[in-house]
Amino acid sequence: MFKNYFKTAWRFLNKSRFYSLINIGGLTVGLAVGILILFWVNDELSFDGFHKNAAGIYKLENMAGTGASRQIWTNTTGSIGPMVQKELPGVKAVVRTCHNGYFSQFRLADNIFNIEKGAFTDPSLFSVFDFNLVEGNDANPFPDINSVVLTQSIAKKYFGDKPALGRLLTTEDNTSFKVSGIIKDIPKNSSIDFEVFFPMNLLAKKFYADKGGSTIENDFHYFNFDTYLVMDKGIASADFENKIRNIHLRNKADDVDVAYMLQPLSKVHLYQSDGSDKGMSTVKMFAIIAIVILLIACINYVNLSTARSMLRAKEVSLRKIVGANRLQLFFQFIVETLIIFLIAGIVSVLLVYLLMPYFNQLSGKELVASVTDPQIWKVILIAITGTLIISSIYPALLLSSFDPLKALKGKLVFKMSETLFRKVLVISQFTFSVVLIAGTFVIAKQLNYIRNKNLGFDREHVFTAPMRDMRGHYDAVKADLLKQTGITAVTWSNSTITDIGQQTGNNSWDGKEEGETLMLSPMAIDKEFINFFKIGLQSGKNFSGSPADSGHFILNETAVKSARIQDPIGKRFKLWNTEGTIIGVVKDFHFSSMKEKIRPAIFYSQPGTWGQLYIKTNTAEASKAIAAVEKKWNLYNAGFPFKYAFLDERFNDLYKTEQRTGMLFNIFSGIAIFISCLGLFGLAAYTAQVRTREIGVRKVLGASVAGIIKLLAGDFVKLVLVAIIIGTPIAWFITNKWLQDFAYKINIGWLVFVLAGLMAMGIALLTISFQSIKAAIQNPVKSLRTE
Amino acid sequence: MISLQHIFKWVNTGSNRTFLLRDITLDIKQGEFISIMGPSGSGKSTLLNVIGMLDGFDEGIYHFLGEEVHKLKEKQRADLYKKHIGFVFQAYHLIDELTVYENIETPLLYQDIKSSERKAMVADTLDKFNIVGKKDLFPAQLSGGQQQLVGIARALITKPKLILADEPTGNLNSQQGEEVMQVFKKLNEEEGVTIIQVTHSEKNAAYASRTIELLDGRIEKQS
């Protein structure tokens, strides 16, 4: 029985190779792209889920500041975690990690290795998380403070195939560390992503050495730690969070605006701890795009196979008359769909493997399609069976429902509802396409707007490099560099101008209200900085370069407004422990992403701190300028690799996600349209074929070629028009929502939608016209004779 | 075997009612060979389809092998005709994608007959119709007469009690038509299969034991 089904199906597919190819081609592309995107989605959703204890692990985060400056801090102090464990029942373990800011290199014989992903951590890390030691003592991973734990691939990088355990590594300050443990490499889908682990005790000793008696046990000032709690089931609650807050307040009563949140580990990657989005919306968007692409492929299949079902009508009727019941016919067509899907499935899996590297490049992930990974097969299976079910049932039902007598007489006329259904399918395909095209346009327009918006400072031909140990010799370095041709100006600041990361609420001024917190972005600069970047001075004056600068502050307009200071010049201001006066106000400029409003900022003078050098050069002599800076770098920072970046690149880094989204949108909408057009092409060809006789008769009666084309294309054009009408408001809604993320954004305008509509229509027309023209110019005698 | 009493069938076009069959009363006994004749549009094919239960009727009583067809549901009717009736068409209506062998085998597939048994039955039939050598050819590779033989073979494979043939020789030349009629005659005489054929040709009608002439949906003459 099944053999017979397979045989008929195969012969039928073979007989109408053109349609089979279109059908299989569309499905294959749709499946491959859908599967790729779903891989990405699956990977994002799988983050941190691989730990056995995952369900009981929470990350402790907190919130501080008032009003607009209230924000989430994903780090805590080192003291709160152990206190919570000691005082509150139900907390089984605590893990703290802190990024390694002390050691940048290991030296081993003549080799120098940069430490890229290093951290200080509690020993509990290796038992709470699934990062068990494969070598070394599980119970005591760090026998003393000069122990270090490595991942397998780092151990291999350092020591080759020789055993690493017990070997010594020396840092740049000549501290020796003994390798006391090896763990498996941490999976890519882990939020905790380190390669080298130092003991927390060491940090406690080093960091608090100069903090005036405060220790990691009692300090409530330095929020440098990621804190994870392992908790009994059902304990995490608002009440519990409040108890943590009370512990904080008991130790530091003036932090009245502090609040604590327990963020389940499984949500750390995609959500903020207040429940807001941190990537989940992108995951959702991509999941939707994957489903849309798969749907478009399904629609193609359904459309083509139902349209062509008229050609099968005779066969189906005969089978009925000689004894087939409906169920048997139903299964015959399911088998047929199965064959098509089998072919499409196999080719698409191959395609996935081929496209994987390109997709990784685009998505910024390192997905590996391993044949042995059950996750991969889960995704593939879900995608293929899902599409199979959706696209097989309707055609099978329709085909098996023919009235045999009518079908045999060739009088089979589709009921209105059936052609309507097909029309609805074409309309939905093109609606998706219109939305995707419009989305692509809006993203491109917004990115272009950001790129060209006046930032309030001049970033042309400026590159930046860290100073590190040049900082003590800044004046000499600067003087030498300015002598170099190709370098026109030099300045420095203690954080990058395109993205001042830090904020502080430790400030006061006359008129500050009780309990008010003003979060300021502080930046140490020199007297050249403001002129170097052509930042406008609104009132007052610049730093002078004299020691008096240390008591002077310059604010930006937003800071003055937020603090409500009238006539700020000469007024008192206190930042951290420094009492000083405001000497100037600069015009606002963008020192972070356009997604945020310009924040209050304060500039102060503190020569000799760590920071970034900025060098202004010109296009022709940029390489000379870079070489000169590198020479200086090597003079003071021998052994450390020199890294520099042009501000344009740094600026683009801020919008990496958006640029990637834009790029992916481009590609996905291209694919969606391609598949839709494939289906349309098939339908147009089919229509032309079915109407051959009608076209012949019309031509004999005197219809012109143009008239015939209009007749054939007209129906489709109407469908696409309806799709444009439906798609436009949807596109408007979605793009508008996307733009909400930006504090500075474009006005979408109607032109985008007109363009998107025209494009969809143009592509559709192009697709149809080929078939229509072919049918229209055919010799009518020929077409009439074949009937 | 078949008893039709006062069968009416009509279609409504606008406010007019067009009768396709008017007051047909007809009894057919097992083993008869009947020809239905009449001009185009007289209702020959309609009557055949009503008897074959491929088409319904609007009024009247129809007994088939003791079953009250007019009271049966769609599915029960289908089961009845699938079990007892074989159809032969003017345009042969073979499945283009299947070989001769597969075409003949198809009805058996739908009756859940075991593979070995199927093989034997198909082989027998191929033999009987002298088309063993053609079994792996596709319909398009056969002449019209050969295609019609395959069509008859297919109709007979399930051993039906009744064969309904709608102008079986309409597309054939006279020699091929003659062969087909010989096959029918043999079936009727040797195996006792009841045959009802629609035909335009006096010569072919003469093979039958009884001829019914229709005009405008009415039985004009019986002989």
Side-chain angles (χ1 to χ4, degrees):
Chain A
M1 188 64 125
F2 271 99
K3 204 175 118 204
N4 187 281
Y5 288 167
F6 269 108
K7 240 185 322 203
T8 344
W10 180 251
R11 287 186 194 146
F12 185 75
L13 290 178
N14 207 16
K15 200 171 122 190
S16 44
R17 256 175 242 145
F18 172 70
Y19 293 98
S20 306
L21 276 181
I22 286 188
N23 224 340
I24 293 172
L27 266 179
T28 305
V29 175
L31 276 174
V33 175
I35 287 171
L36 271 178
I37 305 174
L38 288 178
F39 276 168
W40 184 89
V41 169
N42 187 52
D43 186 67
E44 284 288 300
L45 291 177
S46 71
F47 256 75
D48 300 322
F50 56 88
H51 301 291
K52 276 196 297 291
N53 299 328
I57 303 175
Y58 292 82
K59 188 166 184 223
L60 187 60
E61 302 190 350
N62 64 88
M63 214 182 248
T66 53
S69 61
R70 186 164 182 83
Q71 61 168 303
I72 295 165
W73 300 87
T74 57
N75 293 336
T76 66
T77 61
S79 54
I80 189 79
M83 283 184 187
V84 169
Q85 188 188 11
K86 211 159 87 193
E87 293 183 29
L88 301 178
V91 179
K92 286 187 280 198
V94 173
V95 181
R96 292 167 299 178
T97 63
C98 176
H99 278 268
N100 155 39
Y102 283 98
F103 310 115
S104 45
Q105 294 185 335
F106 275 135
R107 293 163 194 220
L108 183 73
D110 292 336
N111 292 323
I112 295 177
F113 300 104
N114 285 317
I115 304 172
E116 310 268 355
K117 297 175 186 169
F120 295 92
T121 178
D122 289 315
S124 53
L125 177 98
F126 305 105
S127 49
V128 163
F129 296 101
D130 285 17
F131 301 143
N132 303 12
L133 263 56
V134 289
E135 285 179 57
N137 182 358
D138 242 335
N140 190 11
F142 301 120
D144 59 45
I145 59 169
N146 286 331
S147 307
V148 64
V149 172
L150 308 175
T151 61
Q152 281 176 326
S153 51
I154 285 295
K156 193 165 164 89
K157 183 172 149 198
Y158 292 174
F159 303 106
D161 291 329
K162 290 184 209 126
L165 205 68
R167 297 281 296 272
L168 285 179
L169 289 161
T170 310
T171 55
E172 71 268 28
D173 61 355
N174 285 322
T175 320
S176 281
F177 287 91
K178 193 182 209 169
V179 179
S180 61
I182 308 284
I183 63 167
K184 283 216 173 79
D185 287 355
I186 291 182
K188 294 243 161 33
N189 55 352
S190 172
S191 302
I192 300 172
D193 177 25
F194 300 114
E195 296 167 338
V196 175
F197 301 87
F198 298 100
M200 186 58 79
N201 295 345
L202 177 63
L203 179 79
K205 195 175 141 202
K206 278 182 88 83
F207 182 75
Y208 290 98
D210 57 352
K211 298 296 185 288
S214 74
T215 65
I216 193 168
E217 282 85 25
N218 65 22
D219 165 56
F220 271 90
H221 282 92
Y222 293 95
F223 289 73
N224 297 335
F225 300 84
D226 285 328
T227 303
Y228 301 90
L229 303 177
V230 186
M231 308 196 10
D232 285 340
K233 222 174 151 188
I235 286 228
S237 65
D239 184 48
F240 195 91
E241 289 169 350
N242 219 11
K243 284 182 187 157
I244 301 175
R245 175 173 186 265
N246 289 338
I247 294 175
H248 184 116
L249 289 178
R250 206 178 62 225
N251 287 280
K252 191 157 180 286
D254 54 346
D255 284 350
V256 283
D257 52 9
V258 76
Y260 276 89
M261 288 89 63
L262 288 163
Q263 167 85 323
L265 184 66
S266 58
K267 287 183 151 189
V268 165
H269 180 63
L270 293 173
Y271 293 96
Q272 307 268 23
S273 50
D274 64 351
S276 62
D277 175 73
K278 192 174 106 188
M280 193 58 197
S281 64
T282 315
V283 171
K284 277 186 194 151
M285 185 171 81
F286 277 26
I288 290 172
I289 289 183
I291 291 168
V292 162
I293 287 183
L294 288 174
L295 269 182
I296 289 179
C298 287
I299 290 176
N300 259 5
Y301 180 82
V302 171
N303 256 340
L304 282 174
S305 46
T306 54
R308 308 236 320 120
S309 61
M310 278 173 91
L311 300 179
R312 305 292 298 272
K314 190 185 125 189
E315 180 203 332
V316 174
S317 311
L318 280 169
R319 284 181 183 273
K320 273 193 172 174
I321 288 171
V322 300
N325 64 36
R326 208 171 155 176
L327 200 68
Q328 287 165 324
L329 285 172
F330 180 79
F331 276 115
Q332 184 190 336
F333 290 110
I334 297 278
V335 167
E336 213 171 289
T337 311
L338 219 68
I339 294 177
I340 292 185
F341 266 78
L342 205 69
I343 301 171
I346 291 169
V347 181
S348 65
V349 169
L350 286 176
L351 213 58
V352 165
Y353 274 81
L354 287 177
L355 292 177
M356 192 66 102
Y358 303 99
F359 182 74
N360 280 339
Q361 238 170 33
L362 275 174
S363 67
K365 264 198 194 291
E366 287 170 56
L367 295 175
V368 191
S370 156
V371 193
T372 53
D373 185 353
Q375 287 288 323
I376 298 275
W377 288 106
K378 190 184 89 189
V379 171
I380 292 178
L381 257 149
I382 289 177
I384 294 185
T385 37
T387 30
L388 178 67
I389 290 170
I390 293 174
S391 47
S392 63
I393 289 176
Y394 178 74
L397 276 177
L398 179 75
L399 281 166
S400 57
S401 73
F402 285 149
D403 177 353
L405 205 57
K406 279 193 191 141
L408 273 188
K409 284 186 187 154
K411 280 189 191 158
L412 192 77
V413 183
F414 278 107
K415 280 181 233 126
M416 186 54 193
S417 62
E418 279 148 11
T419 38
L420 187 73
F421 181 72
R422 220 152 61 216
K423 281 179 183 165
V424 168
L425 291 182
V426 173
I427 290 173
S428 13
Q429 272 187 321
F430 274 84
T431 306
F432 292 144
S433 302
V434 169
V435 172
L436 284 170
I437 297 175
T440 310
F441 284 166
V442 171
I443 292 176
K445 200 172 160 191
Q446 170 71 13
L447 289 179
N448 194 40
Y449 167 80
I450 289 172
R451 222 168 283 135
N452 297 322
K453 188 175 188 315
N454 183 4
L455 294 179
F457 70 88
D458 178 18
R459 66 173 198 271
E460 291 292 304
H461 306 306
V462 175
F463 68 92
T464 176
M467 287 204 285
R468 222 192 126 81
D469 293 337
M470 276 192 263
R471 66 186 188 278
H473 314 274
Y474 171 69
D475 288 326
V477 169
K478 178 179 157 191
D480 280 354
L481 286 178
L482 282 173
K483 282 181 211 148
Q484 175 72 35
T485 53
I487 295 181
T488 52
V490 176
T491 185
W492 78 276
S493 72
N494 72 337
S495 53
T496 312
I497 187 170
T498 47
D499 196 9
I500 306 181
Q502 52 177 150
Q503 282 186 38
T504 174
N506 194 347
N507 50 51
S508 73
W509 66 94
D510 295 331
K512 183 177 181 177
E513 283 169 16
E514 193 69 31
E516 181 183 356
T517 309
L518 174 68
M519 298 305 283
L520 282 176
S521 298
M523 180 142 98
I525 60 173
D526 72 345
K527 67 176 171 36
E528 316 293 345
F529 189 86
I530 286 173
N531 292 329
F532 181 99
F533 284 112
K534 300 190 183 130
I535 297 165
L537 202 59
Q538 195 207 38
S539 61
K541 56 183 200 293
N542 193 355
F543 293 121
S544 61
S546 69
D549 283 346
S550 64
H552 290 165
F553 297 115
I554 295 173
L555 302 184
N556 71 351
E557 289 171 298
T558 305
V560 173
K561 226 178 289 160
S562 306
R564 304 173 313 277
I565 305 174
Q566 303 289 329
D567 302 321
I569 308 302
K571 291 268 168 72
R572 180 187 84 87
F573 201 91
K574 184 181 173 191
L575 178 69
W576 296 306
N577 295 321
T578 313
E579 279 287 358
T581 47
I582 301 167
I583 59 160
V585 176
V586 288
K587 291 205 175 120
D588 280 341
F589 64 94
H590 291 275
F591 54 79
S592 66
S593 158
M594 296 277 178
K595 290 186 159 189
E596 293 168 41
K597 284 247 176 253
I598 293 176
R599 293 190 306 245
I602 185 165
F603 304 93
Y604 60 99
S605 170
Q606 193 179 20
T609 46
W610 287 74
Q612 296 278 337
L613 214 52
Y614 299 93
I615 293 94
K616 194 165 204 115
T617 175
N618 54 51
T619 328
E621 292 166 309
S623 53
K624 268 192 216 157
I626 292 165
V629 176
E630 182 169 14
K631 221 169 105 192
K632 286 286 166 204
W633 169 270
N634 288 334
L635 189 63
Y636 294 104
N637 299 308
F640 290 92
F642 173 64
K643 286 177 190 155
Y644 71 93
F646 277 89
L647 279 191
D648 271 340
E649 300 164 26
R650 283 291 170 84
F651 177 77
N652 285 338
D653 283 350
L654 290 176
Y655 306 103
K656 245 188 189 146
T657 326
E658 285 71 27
Q659 271 160 356
R660 196 176 288 148
T661 312
M663 176 82 97
L664 288 172
F665 241 82
N666 261 332
I667 292 170
F668 294 151
S669 51
I671 288 166
I673 292 164
F674 171 73
I675 303 175
S676 303
C677 284
L678 218 52
L680 197 63
F681 187 71
L683 271 185
Y686 162 77
T687 317
Q689 187 186 339
V690 167
R691 295 173 84 170
T692 307
R693 204 177 70 95
E694 181 196 338
I695 294 165
V697 172
R698 280 176 189 272
K699 280 190 85 172
V700 170
L701 293 176
S704 67
V705 170
I708 301 280
I709 293 171
K710 223 168 102 190
L711 176 82
L712 287 175
D715 284 349
F716 291 111
V717 168
K718 265 182 238 155
L719 297 184
V720 177
L721 266 179
V722 174
I724 292 172
I725 291 167
I726 298 173
T728 303
I730 299 175
W732 182 85
F733 177 79
I734 293 174
T735 49
N736 223 20
K737 210 163 169 212
W738 182 78
L739 283 174
Q740 297 291 308
D741 270 359
F742 292 87
Y744 303 91
K745 57 189 173 229
I746 52 162
N747 230 329
I748 302 179
W750 51 269
L751 196 68
V752 167
F753 300 108
V754 172
L755 274 177
L758 280 178
M759 201 159 146
M761 181 61 83
I763 295 171
L765 271 178
L766 215 68
T767 312
I768 305 160
S769 57
F770 174 71
Q771 290 297 337
S772 306
I773 292 169
K774 205 172 110 189
I777 56 178
Q778 217 171 38
N779 183 350
V781 177
K782 205 169 143 201
S783 61
L784 284 177
R785 196 191 301 139
T786 53
E787 259 301 298
Chain B
M1 182 186 202
I2 292 168
S3 159
L4 303 173
Q5 286 166 35
H6 309 293
I7 298 286
F8 285 85
K9 182 173 174 63
W10 62 74
V11 286
N12 293 325
T13 44
S15 55
N16 291 332
R17 177 169 284 185
T18 312
F19 284 89
L20 303 175
L21 296 175
R22 280 182 224 242
D23 198 16
I24 302 279
T25 298
L26 183 65
D27 279 292
I28 296 166
K29 285 191 272 304
Q30 194 133 4
E32 277 197 278
F33 188 163
I34 295 192
S35 290
I36 302 176
M37 295 192 73
S40 291
S42 59
K44 304 182 298 287
S45 295
T46 310
L47 179 59
L48 203 68
N49 289 333
V50 166
I51 294 172
M53 290 172 255
L54 294 177
D55 215 347
F57 49 94
D58 297 296
E59 224 181 278
I61 294 172
Y62 174 14
H63 288 274
F64 181 87
L65 288 172
E67 299 267 4
E68 295 181 292
V69 176
H70 52 280
K71 286 186 181 163
L72 295 180
K73 288 197 193 97
E74 182 81 31
K75 195 177 176 304
Q76 293 166 315
R77 281 189 206 183
D79 287 342
L80 199 60
Y81 81 69
K82 280 172 193 168
K83 203 165 153 200
H84 299 293
I85 303 176
F87 294 89
V88 176
F89 304 93
Q90 176 181 0
Y92 332 126
H93 286 334
L94 301 176
I95 298 174
D96 298 334
E97 284 80 23
L98 299 182
T99 62
V100 167
Y101 184 98
E102 288 158 354
N103 260 297
I104 296 175
E105 186 192 25
T106 308
L108 301 178
L109 288 173
Y110 294 120
Q111 295 188 353
D112 294 328
I113 293 171
K114 263 184 278 162
S115 164
S116 54
E117 212 174 317
R118 272 198 325 253
K119 265 185 202 153
M121 289 169 81
V122 178
D124 269 0
T125 310
L126 286 169
D127 202 30
K128 197 157 99 190
F129 285 87
N130 264 326
I131 42 177
V132 179
K134 308 258 187 297
K135 73 179 171 60
D136 291 323
L137 298 180
F138 286 92
Q141 296 164 298
L142 300 177
S143 73
Q146 288 166 334
Q147 287 192 48
Q148 192 56 296
L149 280 183
V150 176
I152 297 170
R154 185 182 62 185
L156 282 170
I157 186 98
T158 53
K159 303 203 167 29
K161 294 198 167 64
L162 173 66
I163 291 275
L164 297 178
D166 194 349
E167 298 196 41
T169 58
N171 284 7
L172 305 178
N173 62 31
S174 58
Q175 195 214 325
Q176 291 168 331
E178 187 82 6
E179 280 172 32
V180 167
M181 292 319 295
Q182 287 297 340
V183 169
F184 275 165
K185 194 174 164 206
K186 209 170 138 201
L187 277 172
N188 179 250
E189 286 171 359
E190 293 177 9
E191 298 183 27
V193 178
T194 314
I195 295 173
I196 305 175
Q197 68 162 344
V198 165
T199 181
H200 277 299
S201 133
E202 295 281 350
K203 196 176 143 213
N204 288 344
Y207 281 87
S209 53
R210 185 147 66 105
T211 303
I212 293 162
E213 280 183 41
L214 291 186
L215 185 66
D216 296 337
R218 233 189 316 260
I219 294 181
E220 183 79 358
K221 204 160 85 183
Q222 284 198 52
S223 58

